[in-house]
Amino acid sequence: MRKSGSTEVFTSLDDFYQRGDQVYLPHLSVDCAIFGFHENQLRVLLLKWKGGKWCLPGGFIKHKESVDTAAHRILQERTGLTDLYLKQFYVFGDPKREKEKKNSPHWIGKRFISIGYYALVEFSKVQPHPDVFSEACEWFDIDEVPGLIYDHKAIMMKALEALRFDLNDHPVGLNLLPKKFTMPELQRLYETILGESIDRRNFQKHMLSMDILIRLEERKTGGAHKAPYLYQFDKRKYMLALRQGLKLGW
Amino acid sequence: MRKSGSTEVFTSLDDFYQRGDQVYLPHLSVDCAIFGFHENQLRVLLLKWKGGKWCLPGGFIKHKESVDTAAHRILQERTGLTDLYLKQFYVFGDPKREKEKKNSPHWIGKRFISIGYYALVEFSKVQPHPDVFSEACEWFDIDEVPGLIYDHKAIMMKALEALRFDLNDHPVGLNLLPKKFTMPELQRLYETILGESIDRRNFQKHMLSMDILIRLEERKTGGAHKAPYLYQFDKRKYMLALRQGLKLGW
DNA sequence: TCAAAAGTGTTTCGGATACACCCATGA
DNA sequence: TCATGGGTGTATCCGAAACACTTTTGA
């Protein structure tokens, strides 16, 4: 029993069921929608239960641990990343939210209130790791998500909504894109998150006018057509602009 | 022991300390910043502990109760209002957030994670009720708030920030103002929430252009100067506009 | 009668939108 | 050579911001 870190302190899965409440706060969980961007598509990382259904990666909060720290710890176990952008967006507190749950005597069979986070990760840096309850950990295109357990579909949709809402005043591009990217790639990111298409020329003009991008000498070669320039964010100016309340996004 | 409803099931304060965890979820609380608008000032409702310090009204979640329901129940006990606008805005989950707390053997002495809500109420309809722990319940001008226990000041500031952020796409005016109000009153509301002054003429033009206000025949008499018109919101159009994602506020 | 607040304009300006043209590349 | 995608530039429009004048009221 050492597949992931979350149950390190336990000797077996059964032990986890029995003694989990000595380590974790009861009735509280953290669920995360991990977003990545790959091949011009917004994606979300899901786990497959040994039962069969898919779910969002999640975990529990240790007795003396901050909720944010718990979320970071849980995500690190799933993605291998220590430094990812994480944002708490909602609490799901309906006592009936876990439809399929059987009221077992274990602490884990009780009612849980879930704190929802979304994470933005650089797709290529992620190494998906299933946890002890899961047989798979895979990326899904945002509009090809299968049925999920409990209210996880609702949680995911709310996360997406929050992301959409945050697009203009949070470092979304900075955290979803690789260091170097092209203008069209940046545009696709905005388009998939917003779910609408944007005029190519106006988008470029707008982005450049914000003075947060650095155009590199290189161009992205290998494409079938004219080679686009590569850009990277001017992280200092980017963060400064955000702090000043400037609307970045579209 | 029947000053408020929150401890109805208990026979005494001591009983509440002893058996509280049989009724409420452990480690979880709800704290509310209740906002009102009176005499052209944004105000917040605070409780005074029998110890002496002020705090935000709060409470706990029953075992089979939804978190939203708990927040409504708690607020009703403080304000007497059954129908108020309530929004969950953040979870405060730092294990060190309750500085002054002594680690007592009671459930209530343990570490608590607090779910923050803000409420918008019509000032005149509120009848402040202290709870069993409190000797007073009073309105404070938003920038004259005294020192608060734990991290309640931070919670209040975050609530205010959330309110500011929500101003454009949530029914803020509708819930803070009385049925009938004048255009200058509406403007003061926006100005105090945003913390900036707005051109009188542009504000009026803008508000009227959104087609969510009904001008009444009456005017507000008694003032020292020219009598302003009274308005009320066209609730149907207001809500429709919100649902369509129209930016209402300023 | 006058200061202060309220109602109703007009002018101006900038950012968003729409659209046209040229360039590079692989099929 | 040509279809496709990428880079750059210009005209237009609309809403926001700036600003002027009149009206009402109690002191």
Side-chain angles (χ1 to χ4, degrees):
Chain A
M1 173 101 184
R2 244 203 170 277
K3 200 163 174 185
S4 90
S6 80
T7 45
E8 277 179 300
V9 288
F10 302 102
T11 55
S12 69
L13 199 56
D14 193 56
D15 186 37
F16 171 71
Y17 285 126
Q18 296 298 335
R19 295 193 307 112
D21 54 351
Q22 290 176 28
V23 176
Y24 301 117
L25 294 176
H27 301 291
L28 266 173
S29 59
V30 170
D31 284 311
C32 304
I34 306 177
F35 292 115
F37 190 67
H38 186 56
E39 287 174 348
N40 283 338
Q41 277 294 343
L42 191 63
R43 316 208 168 188
V44 63
L45 195 65
L46 299 177
L47 291 174
K48 188 177 194 176
W49 267 22
K50 282 170 177 162
K53 274 195 134 183
W54 292 87
C55 68
L56 294 174
F60 308 101
I61 303 158
K62 294 180 181 173
H63 274 278
K64 296 196 171 176
E65 181 182 46
S66 105
V67 178
D68 281 346
T69 307
H72 271 102
R73 174 176 52 76
I74 292 160
L75 285 227
Q76 192 188 334
E77 291 161 7
R78 263 349 107 248
T79 64
L81 296 179
T82 54
D83 182 38
L84 38 68
Y85 184 80
L86 203 48
K87 176 138 191 267
Q88 180 205 300
F89 67 91
Y90 200 67
V91 174
F92 299 85
D94 186 337
K96 294 189 291 288
R97 54 177 287 269
E98 296 152 306
K99 295 160 254 170
E100 306 98 320
K101 188 178 265 189
K102 304 174 259 306
N103 208 1
S104 84
H106 299 123
W107 67 288
I108 207 156
K110 307 290 185 199
R111 173 241 183 129
F112 272 76
I113 286 170
S114 183
I115 303 173
Y117 281 78
Y118 73 74
L120 305 179
V121 300
E122 193 186 317
F123 185 88
S124 63
K125 287 195 178 169
V126 174
Q127 310 251 309
H129 283 297
D131 62 20
V132 279
F133 311 105
S134 315
E135 62 182 41
C137 187
E138 277 173 32
W139 287 103
F140 282 81
D141 194 297
I142 208 70
D143 33 48
E144 287 169 13
V145 171
L148 304 180
I149 56 156
Y150 302 157
D151 57 348
H152 283 204
K153 189 67 157 267
I155 295 179
M156 210 217 69
M157 293 312 288
K158 188 108 181 173
L160 190 56
E161 199 182 291
L163 175 60
R164 207 164 274 163
F165 203 75
D166 290 347
L167 189 54
N168 289 331
D169 15 53
H170 294 263
V172 176
L174 187 61
N175 286 287
L176 278 176
L177 291 173
K179 257 213 181 77
K180 300 175 181 182
F181 52 89
T182 68
M183 191 60 77
E185 280 165 357
L186 181 60
Q187 183 174 343
R188 303 286 171 271
L189 175 64
Y190 274 82
E191 288 179 333
T192 42
I193 292 178
L194 292 174
E196 61 182 38
S197 58
I198 304 172
D199 183 279
R200 193 171 55 84
R201 299 152 286 188
N202 291 335
F203 182 82
Q204 169 137 346
K205 214 185 317 163
H206 186 75
M207 283 295 158
L208 291 178
S209 76
M210 295 188 298
D211 191 34
I212 55 168
L213 289 173
I214 301 171
R215 176 189 278 182
L216 305 176
E217 290 305 315
E218 311 170 63
R219 287 163 177 261
K220 176 159 188 162
T221 60
H225 304 285
K226 182 172 179 177
Y229 285 105
L230 283 168
Y231 291 87
Q232 60 183 40
F233 286 110
D234 185 327
K235 203 167 175 178
R236 203 183 54 79
K237 286 185 181 172
Y238 193 117
M239 289 316 210
L240 195 72
L242 277 184
R243 247 171 279 127
Q244 291 175 346
L246 247 129
K247 295 270 170 205
L248 289 192
W250 184 239
Chain B
M1 174 104 183
R2 242 202 171 278
K3 197 164 178 187
S4 90
S6 79
T7 46
E8 278 179 299
V9 287
F10 301 101
T11 56
S12 69
L13 199 56
D14 193 56
D15 186 37
F16 171 69
Y17 285 126
Q18 295 299 334
R19 295 193 308 112
D21 55 349
Q22 290 176 29
V23 177
Y24 301 117
L25 294 176
H27 301 290
L28 267 173
S29 59
V30 170
D31 284 311
C32 305
I34 307 178
F35 292 115
F37 190 67
H38 186 55
E39 287 173 350
N40 283 338
Q41 277 294 343
L42 190 63
R43 314 209 171 190
V44 63
L45 195 65
L46 298 177
L47 291 175
K48 188 177 194 176
W49 267 21
K50 281 170 178 163
K53 274 195 133 184
W54 292 87
C55 67
L56 294 174
F60 309 101
I61 303 158
K62 294 179 181 173
H63 274 280
K64 296 195 172 177
E65 181 182 47
S66 104
V67 178
D68 282 345
T69 308
H72 271 101
R73 174 177 51 76
I74 292 161
L75 285 226
Q76 191 187 334
E77 291 161 7
R78 264 346 110 246
T79 64
L81 296 179
T82 54
D83 183 39
L84 37 71
Y85 184 79
L86 203 48
K87 177 137 191 269
Q88 179 207 300
F89 67 92
Y90 200 67
V91 174
F92 300 85
D94 186 337
K96 295 189 292 288
R97 55 176 285 270
E98 295 153 305
K99 295 159 257 172
E100 306 96 321
K101 188 178 266 189
K102 305 174 258 306
N103 209 1
S104 84
H106 298 121
W107 67 288
I108 208 157
K110 307 289 186 201
R111 174 237 182 133
F112 271 76
I113 286 170
S114 183
I115 303 174
Y117 280 79
Y118 73 74
L120 304 179
V121 301
E122 194 186 316
F123 185 88
S124 63
K125 287 194 177 170
V126 173
Q127 310 251 310
H129 283 297
D131 62 20
V132 278
F133 312 105
S134 314
E135 62 181 42
C137 187
E138 279 173 30
W139 289 102
F140 283 81
D141 194 297
I142 209 70
D143 32 47
E144 288 169 12
V145 172
L148 305 180
I149 56 156
Y150 302 157
D151 57 347
H152 282 204
K153 189 66 158 272
I155 295 179
M156 210 216 70
M157 293 311 289
K158 187 109 181 171
L160 190 57
E161 197 182 292
L163 174 60
R164 207 164 273 163
F165 203 76
D166 291 347
L167 189 54
N168 288 331
D169 18 37
H170 295 262
V172 176
L174 187 60
N175 286 287
L176 278 176
L177 291 173
K179 258 214 181 74
K180 300 175 181 181
F181 53 89
T182 68
M183 190 60 77
E185 280 166 356
L186 181 60
Q187 184 175 341
R188 303 288 171 270
L189 175 64
Y190 274 81
E191 288 179 332
T192 42
I193 292 179
L194 292 174
E196 61 183 39
S197 58
I198 303 172
D199 183 280
R200 195 170 56 83
R201 298 152 285 187
N202 290 336
F203 183 82
Q204 169 137 346
K205 215 183 314 161
H206 185 76
M207 283 295 157
L208 291 177
S209 76
M210 296 187 298
D211 191 34
I212 55 168
L213 290 173
I214 301 170
R215 175 188 279 183
L216 306 175
E217 291 303 315
E218 310 170 64
R219 286 165 178 258
K220 176 157 189 163
T221 60
H225 304 284
K226 182 171 180 178
Y229 286 105
L230 282 168
Y231 291 86
Q232 61 184 39
F233 286 110
D234 186 328
K235 203 167 174 177
R236 203 183 54 79
K237 286 185 181 172
Y238 192 117
M239 289 315 212
L240 196 71
L242 277 184
R243 245 171 280 126
Q244 291 175 345
L246 248 129
K247 295 270 169 204
L248 288 191
W250 184 239

